Amino acid sequence: MKSILLIALFIALASASFLTKDEVNFINFQQKYNKVYESHEYAAKFATFKSNVGLIESLNQKAKAQNSDLTFGVNKFADLSPAEFRKYYMSAVSATPSADLPMAAELSDDIINATPVAFDWREHGAVTPVKNQGQCGSCWTFSTTGNVEGQNFLAAKNPLVGLSEQNLVDCSNNCMEYENQKVCNAGCDGGLQPIAYEYIIQAGGIDTEQAYPYTAVDGTCKFDASSVGAKITSYTMVPTNETQIAAFLATTGPLAIAADAAEWQFYLGGVFDIPCGKSLDHGILIVGYSAQRTILGANTPYWIVKNSWGADWGEAGYLKVLRNKNECGVANFVSTSIISAQ
Ligand SMILES: *[C@@H]1O[C@H](CO)[C@@H](O)[C@H](O)[C@H]1NC(C)=O
């Protein structure tokens, strides 16, 4: 009897040891995120997962080497290659800063000097819960609604109401001529906030989220003028100076921005402060800013970024990004809608 038990134990241990660490991690990943693969795609998914584990390790080493509190890890995106991730979760229309777009005048020294050292619009009821764009490159619509939701609450003094990204995905296929190029919004294939503001102005408003819910796929336009949740009168770009941006944010509301998000896929938390590109391929919203002490006692200023990759990504759907260094190009394409008194 005893020897049979020992043999059973031996077999269990031996077979367990046939699984590599990566295999065990991949099985745990599938269980945790309810991933079910077709047998023909399993090998490719596992290869992508292993490669991502290596990528996560190297990103964590970069962060550690500069005493950052930034961490990366296996999350729900660990079975997507960086190229797949770019296709599904970023905008294929790249934002280009341009003098052709309307630009707000710089704020005065008096306003700059009165700007608080830290500010968070979530504490003032101007931010809706984190949303999820799904596998659709519609980040630009979430960035736009986030800003207009804030302006509708702060400038128009309406109750905070969620606005419809699907309205923009389906209907804002208008174009804009700038930098000698014709750039058009294209639903799940990407778009830009200024073009979306122009659509909302032309249409006479944007529907509420409730009236026009999100589906994460391109559809025909079902805009309903009787379900409008907010109207805007114009929009402006904001100066690319981060001191100015902080003052604009604190005096105006959450601001729509664009950034290079290529290395945000596996972000778990901390201030994103490692070297980063400046290809503006992702639309998001800055809702505040602050600073924190690092391990070595230095002061690290950061932006509080609302993302649209679900509340189970990053810090409850949010990301902190280093401020005052134009990290990931965050200062290069900042905008806000404007609601003037009628
Ligand atoms: C950014 O704006 C601030 C406040 O107006 C100003 O003091 C500073 O010189 C500007 N920085 C640059 C690089 O222009």
Side-chain angles (χ1 to χ4, degrees), residues 60-105:
N60 278 329
Q61 269 162 15
K62 270 192 213 175
K64 204 172 164 201
Q66 56 182 68
N67 294 300
S68 172
D69 72 337
L70 173 64
T71 57
F72 299 89
V74 167
N75 60 12
K76 62 182 177 179
F77 298 140
D79 60 351
L80 294 174
S81 71
E84 288 169 324
F85 186 74
R86 172 177 296 277
K87 180 166 171 260
Y88 295 140
Y89 291 95
M90 296 187 214
S91 171
V93 178
S94 208
T96 313
S98 169
D100 295 347
L101 299 170
M103 176 60 80

Side-chain angles (χ1 to χ4, degrees), residues 106-107 109 112 241 243-244:
E106 291 208 342
L107 297 173
D109 287 349
I112 296 293
N241 171 327
T243 307
Q244 288 282 335

